[in-house]
PDB file of all heavy atoms in Angstrom:
ATOM      1  N   ALA A 136     -56.797  60.870 -37.702  1.00 98.00           N
ATOM      2  CA  ALA A 136     -55.523  61.469 -38.100  1.00 98.00           C
ATOM      3  C   ALA A 136     -55.518  62.956 -37.753  1.00 98.00           C
ATOM      4  O   ALA A 136     -56.585  63.573 -37.630  1.00 98.00           O
ATOM      5  CB  ALA A 136     -55.305  61.276 -39.594  1.00 98.00           C
ATOM      6  N   PRO A 137     -54.344  63.550 -37.591  1.00 98.00           N
ATOM      7  CA  PRO A 137     -54.278  64.977 -37.255  1.00 98.00           C
ATOM      8  C   PRO A 137     -55.013  65.844 -38.269  1.00 98.00           C
ATOM      9  O   PRO A 137     -54.879  65.643 -39.482  1.00 98.00           O
ATOM     10  CB  PRO A 137     -52.773  65.267 -37.270  1.00 98.00           C
ATOM     11  CG  PRO A 137     -52.124  63.957 -36.984  1.00 98.00           C
ATOM     12  CD  PRO A 137     -53.015  62.941 -37.655  1.00 98.00           C
ATOM     13  N   GLU A 138     -55.801  66.765 -37.754  1.00 98.00           N
ATOM     14  CA  GLU A 138     -56.502  67.728 -38.600  1.00 98.00           C
ATOM     15  C   GLU A 138     -56.877  68.950 -37.772  1.00 98.00           C
ATOM     16  O   GLU A 138     -56.942  68.886 -36.547  1.00 98.00           O
ATOM     17  CB  GLU A 138     -57.757  67.117 -39.225  1.00 98.00           C
ATOM     18  CG  GLU A 138     -58.850  66.771 -38.232  1.00 98.00           C
ATOM     19  CD  GLU A 138     -60.092  66.198 -38.923  1.00 98.00           C
ATOM     20  OE1 GLU A 138     -59.967  65.251 -39.709  1.00 98.00           O
ATOM     21  OE2 GLU A 138     -61.182  66.714 -38.643  1.00 98.00           O
ATOM     22  N   ASP A 139     -57.118  70.047 -38.471  1.00 98.00           N
ATOM     23  CA  ASP A 139     -57.627  71.245 -37.814  1.00 98.00           C
ATOM     24  C   ASP A 139     -59.138  71.079 -37.723  1.00 98.00           C
ATOM     25  O   ASP A 139     -59.804  70.770 -38.717  1.00 98.00           O
ATOM     26  CB  ASP A 139     -57.277  72.495 -38.620  1.00 98.00           C
ATOM     27  CG  ASP A 139     -55.780  72.774 -38.622  1.00 98.00           C
ATOM     28  OD1 ASP A 139     -55.051  72.139 -37.835  1.00 98.00           O
ATOM     29  OD2 ASP A 139     -55.340  73.615 -39.416  1.00 98.00           O
ATOM     30  N   THR A 140     -59.671  71.232 -36.531  1.00 97.00           N
ATOM     31  CA  THR A 140     -61.078  71.011 -36.284  1.00 97.00           C
ATOM     32  C   THR A 140     -61.539  71.937 -35.165  1.00 97.00           C
ATOM     33  O   THR A 140     -60.780  72.797 -34.722  1.00 97.00           O
ATOM     34  CB  THR A 140     -61.346  69.523 -35.936  1.00 97.00           C
ATOM     35  OG1 THR A 140     -62.754  69.292 -35.871  1.00 97.00           O
ATOM     36  CG2 THR A 140     -60.682  69.114 -34.639  1.00 97.00           C
ATOM     37  N   GLU A 141     -62.753  71.744 -34.710  1.00 95.00           N
ATOM     38  CA  GLU A 141     -63.238  72.526 -33.575  1.00 95.00           C
ATOM     39  C   GLU A 141     -63.922  71.598 -32.584  1.00 95.00           C
ATOM     40  O   GLU A 141     -64.838  70.862 -32.942  1.00 95.00           O
ATOM     41  CB  GLU A 141     -64.213  73.604 -34.033  1.00 95.00           C
ATOM     42  CG  GLU A 141     -64.567  74.542 -32.906  1.00 95.00           C
ATOM     43  CD  GLU A 141     -65.214  75.826 -33.352  1.00 95.00           C
ATOM     44  OE1 GLU A 141     -64.859  76.334 -34.430  1.00 95.00           O
ATOM     45  OE2 GLU A 141     -66.074  76.316 -32.612  1.00 95.00           O
ATOM     46  N   MET A 142     -63.411  71.609 -31.370  1.00 90.00           N
ATOM     47  CA  MET A 142     -64.004  70.899 -30.233  1.00 90.00           C
ATOM     48  C   MET A 142     -63.923  71.871 -29.077  1.00 90.00           C
ATOM     49  O   MET A 142     -62.862  72.022 -28.495  1.00 90.00           O
ATOM     50  CB  MET A 142     -63.236  69.625 -29.931  1.00 90.00           C
ATOM     51  CG  MET A 142     -63.350  68.586 -30.999  1.00 90.00           C
ATOM     52  SD  MET A 142     -62.510  67.098 -30.486  1.00 90.00           S
ATOM     53  CE  MET A 142     -62.445  66.223 -32.022  1.00 90.00           C
ATOM     54  N   TYR A 143     -65.002  72.539 -28.798  1.00 90.00           N
ATOM     55  CA  TYR A 143     -65.070  73.630 -27.829  1.00 90.00           C
ATOM     56  C   TYR A 143     -64.385  74.881 -28.370  1.00 90.00           C
ATOM     57  O   TYR A 143     -64.911  75.970 -28.279  1.00 90.00           O
ATOM     58  CB  TYR A 143     -64.501  73.260 -26.462  1.00 90.00           C
ATOM     59  CG  TYR A 143     -65.111  72.031 -25.862  1.00 90.00           C
ATOM     60  CD1 TYR A 143     -64.387  70.864 -25.724  1.00 90.00           C
ATOM     61  CD2 TYR A 143     -66.433  72.034 -25.431  1.00 90.00           C
ATOM     62  CE1 TYR A 143     -64.945  69.722 -25.175  1.00 90.00           C
ATOM     63  CE2 TYR A 143     -67.010  70.895 -24.887  1.00 90.00           C
ATOM     64  CZ  TYR A 143     -66.257  69.743 -24.755  1.00 90.00           C
ATOM     65  OH  TYR A 143     -66.822  68.624 -24.222  1.00 90.00           O
ATOM     66  N   VAL A 144     -63.175  74.714 -28.914  1.00 93.00           N
ATOM     67  CA  VAL A 144     -62.407  75.809 -29.518  1.00 93.00           C
ATOM     68  C   VAL A 144     -61.703  75.251 -30.762  1.00 93.00           C
ATOM     69  O   VAL A 144     -61.524  74.040 -30.884  1.00 93.00           O
ATOM     70  CB  VAL A 144     -61.353  76.395 -28.541  1.00 93.00           C
ATOM     71  CG1 VAL A 144     -62.011  76.992 -27.304  1.00 93.00           C
ATOM     72  CG2 VAL A 144     -60.335  75.350 -28.145  1.00 93.00           C
ATOM     73  N   PRO A 145     -61.268  76.115 -31.694  1.00 97.00           N
ATOM     74  CA  PRO A 145     -60.488  75.612 -32.830  1.00 97.00           C
ATOM     75  C   PRO A 145     -59.186  74.974 -32.339  1.00 97.00           C
ATOM     76  O   PRO A 145     -58.534  75.503 -31.429  1.00 97.00           O
ATOM     77  CB  PRO A 145     -60.198  76.873 -33.648  1.00 97.00           C
ATOM     78  CG  PRO A 145     -61.234  77.866 -33.232  1.00 97.00           C
ATOM     79  CD  PRO A 145     -61.531  77.554 -31.793  1.00 97.00           C
ATOM     80  N   MET A 146     -58.844  73.822 -32.922  1.00 97.00           N
ATOM     81  CA  MET A 146     -57.637  73.128 -32.485  1.00 97.00           C
ATOM     82  C   MET A 146     -57.108  72.213 -33.571  1.00 97.00           C
ATOM     83  O   MET A 146     -57.845  71.796 -34.460  1.00 97.00           O
ATOM     84  CB  MET A 146     -57.898  72.327 -31.209  1.00 97.00           C
ATOM     85  CG  MET A 146     -58.882  71.188 -31.375  1.00 97.00           C
ATOM     86  SD  MET A 146     -59.106  70.178 -29.868  1.00 97.00           S
ATOM     87  CE  MET A 146     -59.725  71.366 -28.713  1.00 97.00           C
ATOM     88  N   ARG A 147     -55.820  71.914 -33.465  1.00 97.00           N
ATOM     89  CA  ARG A 147     -55.195  70.821 -34.219  1.00 97.00           C
ATOM     90  C   ARG A 147     -55.405  69.606 -33.332  1.00 97.00           C
ATOM     91  O   ARG A 147     -55.063  69.629 -32.141  1.00 97.00           O
ATOM     92  CB  ARG A 147     -53.704  71.113 -34.438  1.00 97.00           C
ATOM     93  CG  ARG A 147     -52.994  70.057 -35.236  1.00 97.00           C
ATOM     94  CD  ARG A 147     -53.165  70.308 -36.702  1.00 97.00           C
ATOM     95  NE  ARG A 147     -52.434  69.320 -37.501  1.00 97.00           N
ATOM     96  CZ  ARG A 147     -52.859  68.911 -38.671  1.00 97.00           C
ATOM     97  NH1 ARG A 147     -53.968  69.397 -39.188  1.00 97.00           N
ATOM     98  NH2 ARG A 147     -52.166  68.026 -39.349  1.00 97.00           N
ATOM     99  N   PHE A 148     -55.977  68.522 -33.869  1.00 97.00           N
ATOM    100  CA  PHE A 148     -56.408  67.415 -33.022  1.00 97.00           C
ATOM    101  C   PHE A 148     -56.195  66.080 -33.734  1.00 97.00           C
ATOM    102  O   PHE A 148     -56.318  65.982 -34.946  1.00 97.00           O
ATOM    103  CB  PHE A 148     -57.899  67.567 -32.693  1.00 97.00           C
ATOM    104  CG  PHE A 148     -58.475  66.440 -31.889  1.00 97.00           C
ATOM    105  CD1 PHE A 148     -58.389  66.444 -30.518  1.00 97.00           C
ATOM    106  CD2 PHE A 148     -59.098  65.369 -32.519  1.00 97.00           C
ATOM    107  CE1 PHE A 148     -58.922  65.396 -29.773  1.00 97.00           C
ATOM    108  CE2 PHE A 148     -59.629  64.316 -31.789  1.00 97.00           C
ATOM    109  CZ  PHE A 148     -59.536  64.338 -30.406  1.00 97.00           C
ATOM    110  N   CYS A 149     -55.912  65.058 -32.946  1.00 98.00           N
ATOM    111  CA  CYS A 149     -55.903  63.684 -33.416  1.00 98.00           C
ATOM    112  C   CYS A 149     -56.157  62.778 -32.219  1.00 98.00           C
ATOM    113  O   CYS A 149     -56.099  63.221 -31.066  1.00 98.00           O
ATOM    114  CB  CYS A 149     -54.574  63.314 -34.070  1.00 98.00           C
ATOM    115  SG  CYS A 149     -53.183  63.260 -32.931  1.00 98.00           S
ATOM    116  N   CYS A 150     -56.432  61.514 -32.491  1.00 97.00           N
ATOM    117  CA  CYS A 150     -56.540  60.561 -31.384  1.00 97.00           C
ATOM    118  C   CYS A 150     -56.186  59.157 -31.864  1.00 97.00           C
ATOM    119  O   CYS A 150     -56.294  58.837 -33.051  1.00 97.00           O
ATOM    120  CB  CYS A 150     -57.910  60.596 -30.724  1.00 97.00           C
ATOM    121  SG  CYS A 150     -59.292  60.149 -31.767  1.00 97.00           S
ATOM    122  N   VAL A 151     -55.743  58.354 -30.913  1.00 98.00           N
ATOM    123  CA  VAL A 151     -55.385  56.958 -31.143  1.00 98.00           C
ATOM    124  C   VAL A 151     -55.953  56.140 -29.981  1.00 98.00           C
ATOM    125  O   VAL A 151     -56.301  56.689 -28.942  1.00 98.00           O
ATOM    126  CB  VAL A 151     -53.853  56.749 -31.212  1.00 98.00           C
ATOM    127  CG1 VAL A 151     -53.229  57.578 -32.325  1.00 98.00           C
ATOM    128  CG2 VAL A 151     -53.188  57.038 -29.875  1.00 98.00           C
ATOM    129  N   ASP A 152     -56.013  54.839 -30.167  1.00 97.00           N
ATOM    130  CA  ASP A 152     -56.303  53.918 -29.070  1.00 97.00           C
ATOM    131  C   ASP A 152     -55.014  53.183 -28.747  1.00 97.00           C
ATOM    132  O   ASP A 152     -54.398  52.585 -29.646  1.00 97.00           O
ATOM    133  CB  ASP A 152     -57.399  52.925 -29.447  1.00 97.00           C
ATOM    134  CG  ASP A 152     -58.767  53.583 -29.541  1.00 97.00           C
ATOM    135  OD1 ASP A 152     -58.971  54.642 -28.917  1.00 97.00           O
ATOM    136  OD2 ASP A 152     -59.640  53.033 -30.243  1.00 97.00           O
ATOM    137  N   ASP A 153     -54.593  53.236 -27.492  1.00 97.00           N
ATOM    138  CA  ASP A 153     -53.382  52.516 -27.124  1.00 97.00           C
ATOM    139  C   ASP A 153     -53.675  51.011 -27.153  1.00 97.00           C
ATOM    140  O   ASP A 153     -54.834  50.602 -27.281  1.00 97.00           O
ATOM    141  CB  ASP A 153     -52.818  53.027 -25.792  1.00 97.00           C
ATOM    142  CG  ASP A 153     -53.520  52.500 -24.555  1.00 97.00           C
ATOM    143  OD1 ASP A 153     -54.438  51.658 -24.661  1.00 97.00           O
ATOM    144  OD2 ASP A 153     -53.158  52.936 -23.451  1.00 97.00           O
ATOM    145  N   PRO A 154     -52.669  50.162 -27.038  1.00 96.00           N
ATOM    146  CA  PRO A 154     -52.900  48.715 -27.120  1.00 96.00           C
ATOM    147  C   PRO A 154     -53.716  48.141 -25.959  1.00 96.00           C
ATOM    148  O   PRO A 154     -54.036  46.954 -25.955  1.00 96.00           O
ATOM    149  CB  PRO A 154     -51.482  48.131 -27.114  1.00 96.00           C
ATOM    150  CG  PRO A 154     -50.598  49.227 -27.572  1.00 96.00           C
ATOM    151  CD  PRO A 154     -51.246  50.484 -27.065  1.00 96.00           C
ATOM    152  N   PHE A 155     -54.072  48.967 -24.986  1.00 95.00           N
ATOM    153  CA  PHE A 155     -54.742  48.493 -23.777  1.00 95.00           C
ATOM    154  C   PHE A 155     -56.168  49.014 -23.651  1.00 95.00           C
ATOM    155  O   PHE A 155     -56.814  48.843 -22.637  1.00 95.00           O
ATOM    156  CB  PHE A 155     -53.892  48.879 -22.562  1.00 95.00           C
ATOM    157  CG  PHE A 155     -52.445  48.616 -22.834  1.00 95.00           C
ATOM    158  CD1 PHE A 155     -51.606  49.644 -23.234  1.00 95.00           C
ATOM    159  CD2 PHE A 155     -51.935  47.331 -22.785  1.00 95.00           C
ATOM    160  CE1 PHE A 155     -50.282  49.394 -23.556  1.00 95.00           C
ATOM    161  CE2 PHE A 155     -50.617  47.072 -23.117  1.00 95.00           C
ATOM    162  CZ  PHE A 155     -49.782  48.108 -23.498  1.00 95.00           C
ATOM    163  N   GLY A 156     -56.642  49.692 -24.700  1.00 93.00           N
ATOM    164  CA  GLY A 156     -58.024  50.151 -24.719  1.00 93.00           C
ATOM    165  C   GLY A 156     -58.250  51.563 -24.238  1.00 93.00           C
ATOM    166  O   GLY A 156     -59.386  51.967 -24.014  1.00 93.00           O
TER     167      GLY A 156
END
Side-chain angles (χ1 to χ4, degrees):
E138 67 178 52
D139 292 349
T140 188
E141 188 164 326
M142 293 184 193
Y143 306 111
V144 298
M146 65 176 61
R147 182 85 178 148
F148 177 86
C149 68
C150 62
V151 301
D152 289 337
D153 79 4
F155 317 98

